[in-house]
Structure formats: C-alpha cells, structure tokens
Amino acid sequence: MVREKRREDLCVTVPTLFRCPISMDVMKSPVSLCTGVTYDRSSIEKWLSLGHNTCPATMQTLLSTHTTPNLTLRRLIHLWLSHPDATPSPSSFPLISKHRVTEVLNGPVNYDSLAKIVDFMKVSDENLKFIANSNDAVARFVDFFGNCSEIKVCESIVEILDLILSENGAREKLNSLLLKSDKDCLSSFILVLRNGSMKSKIKSARILESIAVNSESQRKIAEKEGILYELYSLINVENDRLAIQAGLSALLAISTSRLVRKELIRFGIIKTVGEILSSFDFTSTVRAVIEKALGILEMVATCTEGREAISEDKNCVVEIVKRLMKCSNVATEHGITVIWSVSCLARDHTAQEKVMKVNGLTKVLLVMQSDCSVSTRQMCRELVKVLRVKNSKSCLASYETRTTHITPC
C-alpha cells in the first residue's frame, strides 16, 4: 500500500512537458510535427494511420506528416528518469556509452541486449551512425536474424535495420547481407509480417522495398514462398494508412515479372485496390496511398489477366475516373494509363461504358489540356476517339430508320 501510494504521489510530479498530449504518458520517443507540437512516436503514428491530417493538440491542418525526433526533450526525459526517486525504471531508458555498446555487441544477442542497442541508436544521429557504420555489428544482427525464430527478437532486429536504412549506402549493404544464399532472412521477415506488431510489419515491408535494388533481388524476394501473400495481407488492414502504403510500396518494388502479377491478381488485388480507392477521401496524408494504389493497377494492367480483372471489377474503373485530376499528376498519369489499357488496348466495351457513365470523356479532355506528359496526352487523344464513338452510339441507340443514305459522287 505504501509503495502504491508513493507511486501515485510521484505520478503527480511528472513534468507536463514530458507527457504525450495524446496518451498523457511519459514519452518514450518524442517526435515533433511541423506545427511544433511534440508527441510520443507511437501515439502520433497511430493518429496519422487513422487518416487524420491535423495536429491533435492544435487541430491545424498538417502541411506535412513528417516527424522529427526531439532529441533535446529525449535527453531531458532520460535525465529525469535516471533520478532515483522517479517512478519509471531507469533500465527502460538505458543511458549506455559507446564502450558499453561494444561490450553488448560482443556478448550474447538476446532481446534485452537488442533493446539497449535500439535505445542507444534513438538517442542521437551520432549513435545511429556509430552502429550503422560498424560492418561487424550489422553483419552480426543479420546473421542472428537469419537463424532466429523468436518473434520479439526478430522484431528488435527489424527495428535496428529500419533505423539503419536512413544512412548513406545502407540499402546496398543490407541488400548484400540479407539476401545472401547461405542465410534465410526472408523467412524471418515472413515471421514478422505474419505474427509481429503492426509497427514491425510496416518496418519489414519498408526494408524489403529498400533492398529490392535490382532485378535479382526483386526476383529473390518475390519468389520466396509466402512473402507476396503477407505483403498483400498488409494492404487489407482497414483504415491503416501507414500499413497500406508500406504494403503497396513493397509490392510495387518486387512485382516486376508477369508471374508475380498473375499471383497478385489471383489473390484478389484488383478488388482490394478498388476498395482502397473508394474508402479513402482525398487529403494530403493519403496522397501517397492513392498514387501507389493506382501504380499497382497500372502495373497489373500490363498483362491480359490484369486488364480483364480491372474491367470486370464493379468499382475499379469508376473509382479511377473519379480520382482523375483530384490527387496529383503522378496519380492522374497512372489512372489514364489504366483506363487507356482497358478501353483502347483491350477494347473492352464494359470498361468503356463504365468510363462514360461517370463523365469520363470530360475528365479525359481536362487531363489532355493539363500539364501532363507527352505519352499521357497521346493516350488521352486515343481515349477521346474511342469514347466519342461510344457516346455517339449511345445517343443513336434508340434511333431506327429504313432511310437509305446515299453518298454523293
């Protein structure tokens, strides 16, 4: 009872500055938005993943959802937590030196040692570079990752690798280490994608996207049994913008062969992407999601099976037309390419009718007059020809006559 009472008394003494405005808990990883307000990383990422584009404290519209680590506040919190009278345990935020990190790296790799490394890396850019530039340390993490079956340990290594990605040359280094033939790191990624936390799944997808630097690495990742399906499953997470964006980005990076695209079509990616397009109202925070969703459709539209599936889906073509000129130039050009593929290349009458029903001809004419690429403008011209013919046939469908029209000589 005495201990509980003391905890309650101490909780009152927590400086307001150290509390996250969302969770009201002491911040573990303080990050600042463009509005200048600082939140705990986990809390603000959850807020943004729900599709919000405002600062929770000020309700200002965010010009950018990029977060910046508040290192000064992090150090202050660490110092406050290291006080012996503080309620939280100092071990939860270990302040260790580079010498101690070296000792940890040379010792047994386990969850506790990895947690210390993660905290050390998050304190400052200097600490992050210290780990990232140590080839022996990174190689050791990868070696252990390739032989690990404990989910918490795998998630810790994924967090370390994700932090390293921000450093110059990290993509190439991790590509070389993670995809070596004598390691089975891809199985560990599948384990995290299947059983890990949503944060770890997102980071795994981000790493896989980053190491798909060439055709060989793209093939290795895509051909690993189970990995395509787990990434596809990630884009089925309802209303989690960050998960959907990470999954779409990874799939775009590795889906370079027709076999991979056909497999995605078999999973039902056309229907899923159509639902993504229809469920997200346009805001600056979902622009990347819409661009990548349309990019996926453009990719699968390069094969016959993809064009057929897009035409047959009840939402897909309609949602693409609705998004034209409403998101970004990138999204518009992806959308025009998909519509052209099904309407002009495949000459699918069902797709043409769907485009016409949602005023597609007018939208295409507007795109053609906008600041689009030469290839997009050419596709628009071809679409206008096809849709005008479709429109004239529709207008004359109920008109019947037996009059013989004679063309003068």
Side-chain angles (χ1 to χ4, degrees):
M1 288 293 293
V2 174
R3 181 177 295 179
E4 290 176 1
K5 180 67 169 63
R6 179 157 176 74
R7 282 179 182 271
E8 291 174 1
D9 292 341
L10 286 170
C11 284
V12 178
T13 67
V14 176
T16 304
L17 183 66
F18 295 171
R19 292 184 184 275
C20 173
I22 297 175
S23 68
M24 298 308 296
D25 292 329
V26 177
M27 288 183 278
K28 296 180 180 179
S29 179
V31 294
S32 300
L33 290 177
C34 59
T35 57
V37 182
T38 299
Y39 302 90
D40 190 55
R41 184 185 296 277
S42 61
S43 297
I44 194 61
E45 284 184 351
K46 184 176 181 181
W47 169 267
L48 295 173
S49 71
L50 294 174
H52 298 296
N53 67 332
T54 56
C55 172
T58 65
M59 295 311 294
Q60 290 176 262
T61 300
L62 297 174
L63 300 177
S64 168
T65 57
H66 179 71
T67 58
T68 304
N70 191 329
L71 300 180
T72 300
L73 184 57
R74 182 194 294 275
R75 292 189 188 99
L76 289 173
I77 292 173
H78 285 188
L79 289 171
W80 179 77
L81 287 170
S82 67
H83 192 278
D85 290 334
T87 302
S89 169
S91 62
S92 61
F93 291 95
L95 295 173
I96 56 177
S97 64
K98 290 181 181 179
H99 176 71
R100 176 60 183 141
V101 167
T102 303
E103 290 179 347
V104 171
L105 289 171
N106 291 330
V109 177
N110 52 46
Y111 176 73
D112 290 337
S113 64
L114 291 171
K116 291 177 181 178
I117 297 296
V118 169
D119 286 339
F120 173 81
M121 294 172 72
K122 287 182 176 179
V123 167
S124 68
D125 289 340
E126 181 185 351
N127 288 359
L128 174 58
K129 292 180 185 296
F130 178 75
I131 298 294
N133 294 332
S134 173
N135 292 328
D136 290 341
V138 177
R140 188 149 187 260
F141 294 141
V142 172
D143 281 337
F144 197 76
F145 188 61
N147 296 298
C148 182
S149 58
E150 186 180 342
I151 185 64
K152 287 182 67 177
V153 173
C154 285
E155 286 185 295
S156 295
I157 296 177
V158 162
E159 187 166 9
I160 290 171
L161 299 182
D162 182 62
L163 288 168
I164 289 172
L165 277 179
S166 62
E167 296 303 305
N168 291 332
R171 292 178 60 188
E172 292 73 15
K173 182 190 293 184
L174 291 180
N175 169 278
S176 173
L177 292 170
L178 288 167
L179 296 178
K180 278 186 176 179
S181 57
D182 61 336
K183 295 184 177 66
D184 192 14
C185 293
L186 292 178
S187 291
S188 296
F189 279 118
I190 292 173
L191 175 66
V192 176
L193 286 167
R194 190 171 292 159
N195 302 316
S197 66
M198 188 53 64
K199 279 186 180 180
S200 297
K201 290 179 181 181
I202 291 170
K203 289 171 182 176
S204 294
R206 194 155 54 205
I207 295 167
L208 289 170
E209 176 197 359
S210 297
I211 64 174
V213 296
N214 51 43
S215 58
E216 182 183 0
S217 55
Q218 292 160 359
R219 178 186 58 77
K220 282 184 178 180
I221 297 170
E223 290 181 357
K224 177 65 178 179
E225 186 177 356
I227 212 158
L228 268 181
Y229 183 76
E230 295 305 330
L231 289 172
Y232 167 70
S233 298
L234 196 57
I235 72 172
N236 279 282
V237 179
E238 188 175 355
N239 293 327
D240 193 326
R241 178 184 61 82
L242 295 177
I244 293 170
Q245 183 177 330
L248 289 171
S249 296
L251 288 173
L252 275 170
I254 65 176
S255 303
T256 55
S257 72
R258 182 175 179 178
L259 286 175
V260 173
R261 293 167 192 168
K262 288 176 68 174
E263 186 73 356
L264 290 175
I265 294 165
R266 187 178 68 81
F267 290 157
I269 198 164
I270 304 299
K271 180 181 178 182
T272 301
V273 171
E275 290 172 349
I276 290 171
L277 290 175
S278 63
S279 62
F280 280 97
D281 293 329
F282 173 69
T283 63
S284 59
T285 60
V286 300
R287 178 180 297 168
V289 172
I290 296 170
E291 288 178 351
K292 293 179 189 305
L294 291 170
I296 285 280
L297 291 178
E298 180 181 348
M299 178 190 69
V300 297
T302 58
C303 64
T304 304
E305 296 85 354
R307 292 190 290 272
E308 290 175 353
I310 292 169
S311 298
E312 292 169 2
D313 187 84
K314 64 179 182 180
N315 292 324
C316 212
V317 172
V318 171
E319 291 300 329
I320 294 170
V321 176
K322 288 180 179 178
R323 295 290 179 178
L324 292 179
M325 306 286 289
K326 286 191 175 181
C327 181
S328 65
N329 288 338
V330 172
T332 296
E333 298 202 354
H334 285 323
I336 288 294
T337 304
V338 178
I339 297 170
W340 175 85
S341 296
V342 295
S343 300
C344 298
L345 184 61
R347 294 282 176 175
D348 190 286
H349 296 297
T350 303
Q352 293 168 1
E353 288 172 1
K354 288 178 180 177
V355 173
M356 292 300 301
K357 282 182 179 178
V358 286
N359 204 22
L361 178 56
T362 302
K363 294 280 188 72
V364 172
L365 285 167
L366 287 172
V367 173
M368 191 165 63
Q369 296 171 49
S370 69
D371 184 24
C372 60
S373 66
V374 174
S375 60
T376 298
R377 188 169 286 111
Q378 180 59 38
M379 283 188 280
C380 285
R381 289 194 188 98
E382 295 179 25
L383 275 167
V384 168
K385 291 178 184 178
V386 169
L387 296 176
R388 274 181 173 166
V389 171
K390 193 75 179 175
N391 189 46
S392 63
K393 286 182 178 179
S394 175
C395 293
L396 298 173
S398 60
Y399 176 72
E400 292 182 11
T401 179
R402 293 185 180 181
T403 305
T404 301
H405 296 274
I406 302 173
T407 304
C409 297

